């Protein structure tokens, strides 16, 4: 039974009785329980089951064409107890460490220069720096093969020709077909991830903290090292973990170049064991678990860094305006450094792809009859290319939308409800990030082999959700950590329900982060090759697998055309996302 209390104006305001509140409370708890059970079931279905199948596959006896029903420890012992696989693991980890170090250094440095200093043209640079994300590393390799091959690369040919006119005889300047060439190409295209994870955190940070340090006698460099850098650690660790995992699982670039340069990484061996006769899929699964343990250690370390959430709160209920740090005489050299990266990661690769995709065959000299439009005409005339285009767009949009919802909800429940079960489900949801895509593809293949989705695009959607939901969890978790929960508590004090507080307070602040997750997952799905190469079929082709297939068959020019089309699609989706959500995505992605 309700009563009324008269306000000062004479109007009657209803007051909900304690009985009504008692009825609503169990309903709210029941609703949250159902939601959490749905999330847990989703995580279990897409992450745990295929992962268990992957691990289980390592304990079967092999034949030349697959697995028998007989159990065996042979594959596990060969992988874990012989120097061959351990050396390949060491090569993969060393490569990942080098790529992560270079990409983090360049990405964080450029984020600082663009986000916190008086660097010239910061607005345009903020957009252009993330452009390498629109080239997959594999497509970037094609571009740098065109640019940096020892004898036929455009750069070497041009430099040698110019020096010859000056009377100077020169050897080739660069050679991408080396170990350092692999590090160079991979690092270039992972720098934007480090930049995006840190640039907006730098913009949002309270600049008065650095000013207080300088007023107490610290130099600008000391203030950055002792104030800015510690605050940025969660974002830096998240970016480093992402780049490390992506680098450690990449098999295309190390595989193609490594066969010439004389080194082999574990992911390439996993791919060979999975696809090249005689098959060794038990060995592939066992080798995948080696990377699993390494990355779990990285996840635990990243969570320890962000364990005390209040240390990293930089968004509260009070605004401020940061004054750009003056670079002085270093202003234009710093601009030149950023411009050099853009030239190497955007200008030269895109130009090389565009020119190479119109060539009939590879050549170091250009003539009129060398160029043709045939490759682009074939893109629209071939049925599998048109189907691959449609599948790629659909999978990118669907995986992005689902990952935003699932990842955001898991992180919110984990951080705001703080139950042990929530933490366990969130941790399990991140585990697929530690498994190479090709090995996770094996798990999905065995899981859904006898179901209707096997061989269709829907199994690719499951693979993308499993692989990219962890990133949605990690990034949304970092975003929520930066929102002071006192803002939500203030709304609750003013009469808002938990759902209203989430919708009116948390979601508007978190919106740029959620949009960034959507766009990031969409891009990664369009570029994904590791699992797609195993799971895609003629019934469900995608552009990334087509590029790989044409590259393997030696049709480099058509592969370049498909890769360039893939990049243009991603640029178009960037513009569409900005138009629909009315958000500067290059800034939103930094959240």
């Amino acid at each position: 039974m309700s009563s009324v209390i008269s306000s000062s104006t004479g109007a009657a305001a209803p007051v909900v009785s304690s009985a009504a509140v008692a009825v609503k409370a169990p309903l709210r708890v029941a609703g949250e329980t159902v939601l959490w059970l749905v999330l847990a079931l989703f995580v279990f279905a897409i992450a745990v089951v295929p992962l268990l199948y992957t691990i289980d596959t390592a304990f079967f006896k092999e034949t030349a064409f697959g697995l028998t029903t007989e159990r065996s420890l042979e594959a596990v012992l060969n992988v874990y107890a012989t120097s061959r696989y351990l050396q390949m693991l060491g090569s993969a980890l060393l490569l990942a460490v080098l790529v992560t170090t270079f990409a983090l250094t360049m990405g964080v440095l450029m984020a600082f220069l663009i986000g916190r200093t008086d660097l010239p043209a910061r607005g345009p640079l903020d957009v252009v720096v993330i452009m390498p994300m629109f080239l997959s590393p594999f497509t970037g390799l094609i571009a740098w093969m065109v640019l940096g091959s020892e004898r036929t690369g455009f750069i070497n040919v041009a430099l040698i020709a110019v020096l010859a006119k000056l009377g100077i005889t020169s050897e080739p300047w660069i050679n991408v077909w080396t170990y350092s060439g692999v590090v160079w190409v991979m690092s270039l295209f992972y720098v934007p991830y480090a930049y995006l994870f840190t640039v907006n955190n730098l913009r949002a940070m309270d600049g008065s903290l650095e000013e207080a340090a300088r007023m107490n006698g610290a130099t600008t460099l000391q203030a950055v090292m002792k104030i800015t850098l510690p605050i940025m650690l969660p974002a830096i660790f998240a970016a480093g973990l992402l780049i490390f995992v992506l680098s450690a699982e990449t098999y295309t670039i190390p595989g193609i170049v490594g066969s010439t340069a004389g080194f082999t990484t574990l992911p390439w061996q996993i791919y060979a064991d999975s696809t090249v006769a005689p098959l060794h899929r038990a060995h592939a699964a066992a080798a995948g678990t080696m990377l699993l343990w390494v990355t779990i250690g990285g996840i635990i370390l990243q969570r320890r860094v962000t364990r005390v959430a209040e240390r990293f709160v930089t968004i509260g209920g009070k605004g401020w305006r940061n004054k750009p740090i003056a670079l002085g005489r270093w202003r234009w050299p710093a601009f030149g450094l950023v411009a050099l990266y853009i030239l190497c990661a955007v200008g030269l690769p895109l130009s090389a792809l565009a020119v190479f995709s119109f060539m009939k065959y590879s050549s170091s000299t250009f003539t009129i009859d060398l160029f043709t439009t045939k490759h682009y005409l074939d893109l629209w005339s071939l049925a599998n290319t048109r189907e691959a285009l449609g599948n790629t767009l659909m999978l990118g949009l669907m995986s992005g939308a689902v990952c935003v919802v699932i990842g955001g909800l898991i992180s919110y429940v984990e951080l705001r409800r703080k139950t042990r079960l929530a933490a366990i489900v969130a941790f399990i949801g991140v585990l697929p990030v530690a498994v190479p895509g090709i090995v996770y593809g094996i798990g999905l293949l065995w899981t859904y082999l006898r179901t209707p989705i096997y061989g269709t695009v829907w199994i690719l959607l499951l693979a993308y959700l499993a692989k990219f939901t962890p990133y949605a969890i990690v990034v949304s978790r970092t975003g929520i950590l930066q929102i002071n929960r006192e803002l939500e508590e203030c709304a609750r004090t003013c009469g808002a329900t938990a759902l209203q507080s989430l919708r009116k307070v948390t979601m508007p602040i978190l919106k740029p982060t959620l949009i960034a997750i959507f766009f990031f997952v969409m891009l990664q799905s369009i570029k994904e090759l590791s699992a797609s190469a195993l799971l895609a079929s003629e019934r469900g082709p995608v552009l990334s697998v087509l590029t790989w297939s044409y590259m393997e068959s030696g049709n480099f020019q058509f592969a370049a055309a498909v890769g360039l089309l893939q990049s243009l699609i991603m640029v178009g989706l960037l513009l569409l996302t900005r138009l629909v959500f009315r958000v500067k995505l290059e800034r939103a992605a930094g959240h």
Side-chain angles (χ1 to χ4, degrees), residues 5 85 95 107 137 139 188 297 357 373 375 433 446 459 477 483 558:
I5 298 178
Y85 278 88
L95 177 63
T139 305
L188 282 179
S357 65
T373 59
H375 306 307
V433 77
W446 285 102
I459 196 170
R477 188 176 190 273
I483 302 175
F558 196 78

Side-chain angles (χ1 to χ4, degrees), residues 30 154 164 288 339 349 363 379 416 534 553 563:
F154 291 173
S363 176
L379 283 177
R416 293 302 190 245
L534 182 65
S553 64

Side-chain angles (χ1 to χ4, degrees), residues 205-220:
M205 194 184 71
D206 186 358
S208 64
L209 301 174
E210 294 171 338
E211 292 176 8
R214 287 193 292 268
M215 289 176 63
N216 283 276
T219 64
T220 299

Side-chain angles (χ1 to χ4, degrees), residues 41-71:
L41 182 62
F42 174 84
V43 169
F44 183 80
I46 70 163
V48 177
V49 173
L51 182 58
L52 292 177
Y53 268 102
T54 301
I55 296 174
D56 186 59
T57 302
F59 295 94
F60 280 94
K61 191 172 183 178
E62 298 171 334
T63 69
F65 304 100
L67 303 176
T68 69
T69 57
E70 183 180 349
R71 293 285 181 173

